[in-house]
Amino acid sequence: MRLPPAILGNAEEVLREILRFTSPADVTLSRYFKDHPRLGGRERGAIAECVYAVLRQKSFFTDFAGTGASMRRLTVLGMAEAIGADSLGGLSEDETALLTRIKEIDRSLLPPKKLANLPDWLYDKFVAQYGEEETLALAAVLNTAAPLDLRVNSLKADRDKVIAELATAPIAAEPTPYSALGLRIWKKPALQNLPLFKEGAIEVQDEGSQVLAQLLGARRGEMVVDFCAGAGGKTLAIGAIMRSTGRLYAFDVSEKRLTKLKPRLARSGLSNVHPVVIAHERDAKVKRLAGKIDRVLVDAPCSGMGTLRRNPDVKWRQQPEGIAELTEKQASILDGAARLVKFGGRLVYATCSLLDEENEGIVQGFLASHPDFELVPMHKVLAEQRIPLEMGDYLKMLPHKHGTDGFFAAVLERKAAPAKAVAAESDEDAASE
């Protein structure tokens, strides 16, 4: 069944705006669809997939779309890639010829940098880290669409029963290999109308993100902080691990992001979560809890290069100088969050980046300036949490190897306090009361 020719015009219009890279692609798409309520579900899906196809293959399409690479031509190529050339109507002879020409190209013969469809600076960074062969394997997967991962809320359901109930929808879901509560769906159904979703039995969350929450090792009755909580995906996972006991603080500098947590929290059945808006990492609200927290998760703001399957515009919006600014912020946030950790407590630093300077570089710099913390080898933590992954000192989940988004994590522990330090802290607590 062919799409109406007018849909190409809609796709071209929104693509033009998105390629200005002034805001995230998903935000722009959402706003466009809100402004065009007459577009049906099929049309919206085609437009969105067209846009993401262009974002993933922009280098290739721009090079082979001919002189000028007009927005119309990019749109035609993106739509053909997304839904198939046979579904397109209203094409000119030149556009039909362009699609035929593109189809005949053996992409495996392209130079490596063109094959990767990455900005030059990012390709060079990846090659320096991973080597050319692995960079191409990584890029090939980053340039595909991600599946949909769910986390089963263990307070309300178990995985096998959720799989059975989804099958009646009918939605085919399979268990994820690393998270014991994860499910993977290869299509993208509308979940928000399902009773399972409305009742809080399932949440959308990448398997890698579920693993990060588990690395914290939170226990019942503890004091825990999710330092950069955002919309709260990991907060909810940690709260369920704690069986809704103890106190779990969800800190974030964005009230708007924390507001998105509220409906999710209401569905979850959790009563131990306390969302807190902070001005910065040294906010008075943070200082009041200094040295009192058992476990702190820092899922730091980062370049997001591990999420390119879901957010392909990030590779074009991000610039090298922006990475340098991010690393300063990451180091400062980790330093601020570390002050919360009690003696013997755990601090997990994580990103959804694939770049060493945002990952190992931050951790090594932190350890050099914080001798009271030590690195816990990741293989030890994974064994402790019974997560079937083989890692060295750090968690490095890669889309082409693990099927998740790209994630990095390091587990740090604050060394047990010398007797003098314990006495000093007791005196400080007494003085502040």
Side-chain angles (χ1 to χ4, degrees):
M1 184 176 172
R2 290 195 167 196
L3 279 175
I7 299 304
L8 274 173
N10 290 113
E12 180 182 352
E13 186 179 4
V14 71
L15 182 63
R16 187 182 307 279
E17 187 176 347
I18 283 170
L19 291 184
R20 294 190 181 107
F21 299 118
T22 54
S23 64
D26 59 344
V27 172
T28 303
L29 272 170
S30 178
R31 187 171 60 242
Y32 186 83
F33 291 148
K34 195 174 289 185
D35 292 341
H36 295 76
R38 292 189 180 181
L39 289 170
R42 180 168 175 258
E43 287 81 6
R44 290 177 183 220
I47 291 167
E49 291 305 316
C50 167
V51 165
Y52 283 113
V54 172
L55 291 169
R56 291 186 180 106
Q57 307 287 338
K58 188 165 81 77
S59 290
F60 173 69
F61 286 168
T62 302
D63 282 352
F64 288 91
T67 309
S70 73
M71 200 62 61
R72 167 76 182 188
R73 285 187 158 212
L74 288 177
T75 305
V76 168
L77 290 173
M79 195 66 84
E81 183 91 2
I83 65 170
D86 293 341
S87 299
L88 299 181
L91 299 183
S92 68
E93 286 186 20
D94 284 349
E95 288 164 350
T96 302
L98 172 65
L99 291 179
T100 302
R101 190 165 72 250
I102 289 281
K103 193 174 180 181
E104 291 171 349
I105 294 169
D106 183 349
R107 299 191 195 188
S108 66
L109 299 178
L110 294 173
K113 196 170 279 192
K114 293 296 181 186
L115 190 60
N117 265 289
L118 296 169
D120 287 353
W121 69 268
L122 184 57
Y123 178 83
D124 292 341
K125 276 184 180 288
F126 280 172
V127 170
Q129 278 183 219
Y130 302 110
E132 185 176 272
E133 186 177 347
E134 186 158 8
T135 293
L136 290 176
L138 171 61
V141 175
L142 289 175
N143 287 323
T144 61
L148 178 68
D149 285 1
L150 307 177
R151 177 182 59 81
V152 175
N153 180 357
S154 59
L155 295 180
K156 295 196 168 190
D158 69 61
R159 186 158 70 170
D160 289 341
K161 288 181 180 177
V162 169
I163 290 174
E165 191 165 338
L166 285 172
T168 66
I171 297 170
E174 60 189 49
T176 52
Y178 310 119
S179 168
L181 294 171
L183 292 174
R184 183 156 293 152
I185 298 171
W186 291 97
K187 293 183 179 179
K188 295 182 180 176
L191 296 174
Q192 62 271 19
N193 297 322
L194 294 178
L196 281 170
F197 183 81
K198 291 178 179 178
E199 294 160 9
I202 54 173
E203 273 288 339
V204 175
Q205 186 178 23
D206 185 82
E207 185 188 18
S209 179
Q210 296 177 44
V211 169
L212 290 188
Q214 206 172 334
L215 295 180
L216 199 59
R219 296 171 183 156
R220 296 186 188 204
E222 289 187 329
M223 295 261 285
V224 178
V225 170
D226 185 354
F227 201 76
C228 305
K234 283 179 268 307
T235 307
L236 298 176
I238 295 164
I241 290 169
M242 296 169 70
R243 307 305 295 176
S244 200
T245 64
R247 288 182 77 81
L248 173 54
Y249 294 97
F251 285 170
D252 204 273
V253 295
S254 170
E255 185 173 3
K256 186 177 180 181
R257 284 197 292 265
L258 282 179
T259 299
K260 292 179 180 178
L261 168 59
K262 289 181 180 178
R264 303 175 77 185
L265 184 56
R267 290 195 304 268
S268 73
L270 293 171
S271 59
N272 64 336
V273 176
H274 303 272
V276 180
V277 180
I278 58 174
H280 45 71
E281 59 270 20
R282 285 168 179 75
D283 192 304
K285 297 170 190 172
V286 177
K287 288 182 178 178
R288 278 199 291 269
L289 294 172
K292 297 177 181 177
I293 304 298
D294 296 287
R295 296 167 198 272
V296 178
L297 172 63
V298 178
D299 183 12
C302 69
S303 64
M305 292 305 169
T307 69
L308 294 184
R309 294 186 303 169
R310 302 176 198 281
N311 306 303
D313 55 313
V314 167
K315 63 186 176 184
W316 308 114
R317 288 197 297 119
Q318 190 62 261
Q319 298 297 325
E321 53 271 20
I323 305 296
E325 291 175 14
L326 280 167
T327 56
E328 284 185 27
K329 184 185 292 186
Q330 289 155 356
S332 180
I333 289 172
L334 184 56
D335 178 68
R339 300 177 189 203
L340 294 169
V341 184
K342 63 165 49 173
F343 291 112
R346 176 172 289 189
L347 173 63
V348 175
Y349 173 78
T351 75
C352 54
S353 175
L354 298 167
L355 301 176
D356 282 346
E357 59 259 55
E358 297 185 82
N359 297 332
E360 292 100 316
I362 298 297
V363 174
Q364 289 162 7
F366 174 83
L367 289 171
S369 58
H370 293 76
D372 54 331
F373 280 84
E374 60 187 351
L375 182 74
V376 182
M378 189 56 64
H379 60 82
K380 182 179 175 183
V381 180
L382 292 168
E384 160 203 302
Q385 296 298 322
R386 299 180 183 176
I387 301 171
L389 273 166
E390 292 187 14
M391 296 284 165
D393 285 342
Y394 303 108
L395 181 83
K396 296 180 181 180
M397 300 191 80
L398 300 168
H400 66 300
K401 287 186 175 180
H402 303 107
T404 64
D405 284 348
F407 283 102
F408 169 88
V411 175
L412 308 160
E413 285 188 359
R414 193 175 179 194
K415 298 173 185 175
K420 287 181 181 177
V422 174
E425 281 210 354
S426 297
D427 291 342
E428 281 182 26
D429 287 343
S432 64
E433 288 176 0

